Amino acid sequence: MLTLHRVRGVRLVVDGPPAERPDDARPGDEYADEYIDGYAVVVDGDRFAAVGPYTELLAAYGERARSREWDGVLTPGRYEPDGAALLEAAYHPDPREADELGSEPIRGEALAALGMTETRWGASARRGLQRLLATGTAALTGPFTRPAVRTAVQRSGLRELPERRPRTLAVGGPAHFAVFAADGSCLATALGGRLVFRRR
C-alpha cells in the first residue's frame, strides 16, 4: 500500500555529512538544520518509493496513496549507542508493578535483588524497546548476550548496528524513519514502513 507522509520537512541524512541539494530542488525550497522544507515521502510497503516536494508527490501519488500528516520533520530516526545497557543492565517495570517498583528503569543493587529470570528479562526488554520507539529510535547497538533480550530486539524490527554510522532516506531504501516535533519530541516512529509508535 502506498502512503504519502506530509511533514514540515525531510532530513535526508543523520550522523553523516549533510546531503547535497537534490537535483530536482527548486529555488523556493528552503533548508533549516539540514532538512528540506516542504518535502514529503511516499512509502510503498516497507520501502521509500519517492522523496521530494509535497506538491509534486501529491500530484503523482495523491489518487493512489493514503495520506498522513505530521506537524514535524521526518528523519531516519535516532540511534541508541547504549542499547545493551538499557536492555540488559536495567529492568523496565510492568505497569502492574508500579506501586511496588515505580515506573522508571531499575539498576544496580535494586536490580540484583529482583531475582531476574529469562522470561522476566524478555518482558522487560520488550517494554524497554517500546520506550526507545517512543523517542524515535530506529537503530541501536548491542551486543545482546541474553537470549530473551536478543530475541526481543530481533522481533522489534530495530536495526542493530555495530557502531554509529550515517543513515539516509533514499528511494528504494528501507522505510525506517521517525517524525519529530519542533520541541524535539517524537510524533511517530516507523520500521519497514509500519508505524510502531504514534503519539496520542
Side-chain angles (χ1 to χ4, degrees), residues 109-135:
E109 293 182 2
L111 172 62
L114 289 179
M116 295 291 290
T117 63
E118 195 68 13
T119 298
R120 202 172 188 187
W121 273 118
S124 169
R126 289 190 291 274
R127 292 188 291 271
L129 289 164
Q130 286 300 314
R131 284 175 178 255
L132 289 174
L133 293 173
T135 66

Side-chain angles (χ1 to χ4, degrees), residues 87-105:
L87 300 178
E88 294 197 334
Y91 176 69
H92 299 268
D94 188 301
R96 293 169 294 185
E97 301 173 309
D99 289 343
E100 177 186 359
L101 301 178
S103 59
E104 294 303 308

Side-chain angles (χ1 to χ4, degrees), residues 48-154:
F48 287 110
V51 180
Y54 170 72
T55 53
E56 295 181 9
L57 298 188
L58 179 64
Y61 294 92
E63 294 185 358
R64 295 180 288 146
R66 64 178 178 179
S67 181
R68 295 188 184 274
E69 295 194 14
W70 311 99
D71 188 17
V73 175
L74 190 147
T75 83
R78 286 186 65 249
Y79 160 74
E80 178 50 67
D82 298 320
L86 288 170
L87 300 178
E88 294 197 334
Y91 176 69
H92 299 268
D94 188 301
R96 293 169 294 185
E97 301 173 309
D99 289 343
E100 177 186 359
L101 301 178
S103 59
E104 294 303 308
I106 297 172
R107 300 178 172 86
E109 293 182 2
L111 172 62
L114 289 179
M116 295 291 290
T117 63
E118 195 68 13
T119 298
R120 202 172 188 187
W121 273 118
S124 169
R126 289 190 291 274
R127 292 188 291 271
L129 289 164
Q130 286 300 314
R131 284 175 178 255
L132 289 174
L133 293 173
T135 66
T137 301
L140 77 174
T141 288
F144 301 101
T145 59
R146 297 184 185 278
V149 174
R150 187 165 57 245
T151 297
V153 172
Q154 291 170 346

Side-chain angles (χ1 to χ4, degrees), residues 147-165:
V149 174
R150 187 165 57 245
T151 297
V153 172
Q154 291 170 346
R155 290 178 176 175
S156 74
L158 282 164
R159 289 176 293 172
E160 186 177 346
L161 302 178
E163 59 188 4
R164 185 184 299 273
R165 60 179 55 171

